[in-house]
Amino acid sequence: MSVNRVILIGNLGKDPELKHASSGTSVCRFSLATNERFKNKAGEPEQRTEWHSIVCFGRLAEVCGEYLAKGRLCYIEGTIRNRKWTDQDEKERKSFDIVATQMRMLSSSNGGEAKSKTESAKPTPQGRPSQNVAQPPDEDNPFEADESHVPF
């Protein structure tokens, strides 16, 4: 048995880039920063920031492109995918993306709290997200509007 599942809560590093593939499918890319706070060996507080490359497809991509913006706090759930390509110098490169299947906005664009909007993309038999699946907000979800309830 194997599991490929990622859950991230972080802030967008830049505005999302929404494009359309030749097939007509919407594709949205953005970066997400997560922060980890810890004490170093000397006992002094430190913070480490990890940057994640997020990509989403279909209706979820359209929602992300329309509602997300640099600095917004959001919840992302998805899977890790690697991709390989050859750069301009003919060097083979590899990167890892998080293919988002769910997104929940945790802050409004004006910095205040916001009612969250959840979108999800359920995989089709071919492994690609379907384009028109939306999930209503969960009334009992701790991520609903107040980020102080985030359990970690």
Side-chain angles (χ1 to χ4, degrees):
M1 182 172 96
S2 64
V3 176
N4 181 357
R5 178 63 57 207
V6 176
I7 296 175
L8 300 169
I9 296 176
N11 296 90
L12 270 71
K14 61 180 182 176
D15 288 339
E17 296 175 12
L18 180 63
K19 296 182 179 181
H20 293 80
S22 58
S23 65
T25 302
S26 300
V27 180
C28 186
R29 289 189 166 276
F30 55 93
S31 60
L32 190 76
T34 56
N35 298 308
E36 176 184 4
R37 295 174 194 205
F38 59 95
K39 291 189 178 186
N40 62 19
K41 291 180 181 180
E44 299 168 346
E46 286 191 28
Q47 179 174 307
R48 178 178 19 237
T49 301
E50 292 288 336
W51 288 94
H52 310 276
S53 175
I54 312 295
V55 63
C56 47
F57 301 95
R59 178 69 182 131
L60 181 59
E62 294 169 11
V63 170
C64 289
E66 184 175 345
Y67 292 104
L68 294 180
K70 180 179 178 178
R72 296 274 314 254
L73 182 70
C74 70
Y75 166 95
I76 297 291
E77 187 172 331
T79 59
I80 298 175
R81 297 269 170 87
N82 64 40
R83 61 185 168 109
K84 297 177 186 178
W85 75 96
T86 304
D87 67 10
Q88 295 174 348
D89 299 328
E90 300 298 321
K91 292 183 181 178
E92 193 149 312
R93 301 285 184 174
K94 186 175 185 178
S95 69
F96 294 90
D97 295 326
I98 306 301
V99 179
T101 54
Q102 292 188 25
M103 180 276 295
R104 186 173 292 246
M105 293 176 274
L106 300 177
S107 66
S108 66
S109 58
N110 62 10
E113 294 179 355
K115 291 285 183 187
S116 64
K117 178 178 181 128
T118 300
E119 287 286 334
S120 71
K122 295 183 180 173
T124 61
Q126 295 81 16
R128 291 189 177 140
S130 62
Q131 292 189 7
N132 55 359
V133 178
Q135 179 179 342
D138 183 359
E139 300 296 325
D140 298 323
N141 192 320
F143 303 113
E144 184 67 28
D146 186 359
E147 46 191 85
S148 66
H149 295 303
V150 177
F152 42 87

